[in-house]
Amino acid sequence: MGEVGEKRYALLMCGEDSEYLVKMHGGCYGIFGRVLAEEGEKWDLYKVVQGHFPEHHHLSLYDGFVITGSCYDAHANDPWILDLLQLVNKLDSMHKKILGICFGHQIVGRALGGKVGRSPKGWDIGVKAINMSSSLPLSFSSLNLPSKISIYKCHRDEILELPPKAEVIAWSEMCGVEMFSYGDHIFGIQGHPEFTHDILLHFIDRIITRNLVQEAFALDAKEKAALVEPDKEILKRLCVNFLKGRL
């Protein structure tokens, strides 16, 4: 499984790569690798959306797990989603680091006992400012985060009720749980720290093509997104420091 002392991480891919994302960004593996991977680490990709999961006897060999976004509903009961919920509970019992992004954030929330569903406020798309909690857990407060952070958003589902013992890390006018932590080993982010402007536009085009959003609304979101820059470096530092146990 790798060299002795080598840090190992598993990327649990919950969506489908497009030809464009593979060609321009190296697909899901390349997109997340550019933000999270560091020299001397081993990253393994598991396409859980296709039923490809890590073997249970290999779980202990990983230092952390990242659960990606998806066009699927985190509140659905597809077989692979139910398997993923079971895996999250297993990793929680092992006290493994889990970073959930968008769909992954919602899946983790659901697995731990929270409620996930459609946002009553509809789609949230673009570069949006979220508010950091004024009472962050001690580990997160060590990062000296600003009171507001801008992040790429593209979702219509959200965590409606937090799991017991979970803490809200960030919130916004559109979404009450933008970030949450659970113990010192689980962290969820509703937005997309791994996105670039190009990737956001690609996903907006995807949901327009699939008739999931009104085209006029989506095109307006595209125009507005071009006017604001997300806090990429702050988000990268937040994710990397959490996942690598540096908080």
Side-chain angles (χ1 to χ4, degrees), residues 35-83:
V35 176
L36 300 176
E38 295 178 309
E39 189 175 350
E41 296 174 349
K42 178 76 168 66
W43 283 75
D44 296 325
L45 177 68
Y46 292 95
K47 296 182 178 181
V48 296
V49 68
Q50 297 176 8
H52 179 213
F53 285 79
E55 299 286 345
H56 274 252
H57 61 276
H58 287 160
L59 297 179
S60 62
L61 301 176
Y62 288 102
D63 295 280
F65 296 78
V66 178
I67 307 177
T68 75
S70 177
C71 287
Y72 289 87
D73 295 331
H75 47 87
N77 293 314
D78 302 59
W80 72 272
I81 291 177
L82 298 179
D83 289 343

Side-chain angles (χ1 to χ4, degrees), residues 12-27:
L12 308 182
M13 180 175 164
C14 303
E16 302 286 355
D17 270 336
S18 67
E19 288 184 16
Y20 181 82
L21 289 178
V22 171
K23 179 181 178 181
M24 300 301 296
H25 300 280

Side-chain angles (χ1 to χ4, degrees), residues 179-194:
M179 298 181 182
F180 80 95
S181 65
Y182 185 87
D184 61 358
H185 62 295
I186 294 176
F187 180 40
I189 302 177
Q190 179 57 71
H192 288 277
E194 82 283 9

Side-chain angles (χ1 to χ4, degrees), residues 21 41 52 61-62 81 89 101 122 129 132 141 168 171 177 185 192 209 231:
L21 289 178
E41 296 174 349
H52 179 213
L61 301 176
Y62 288 102
I81 291 177
N89 286 322
I101 304 297
M132 303 304 295
S141 62
V168 174
W171 57 276
V177 187
H185 62 295
H192 288 277
T209 301
D231 293 305

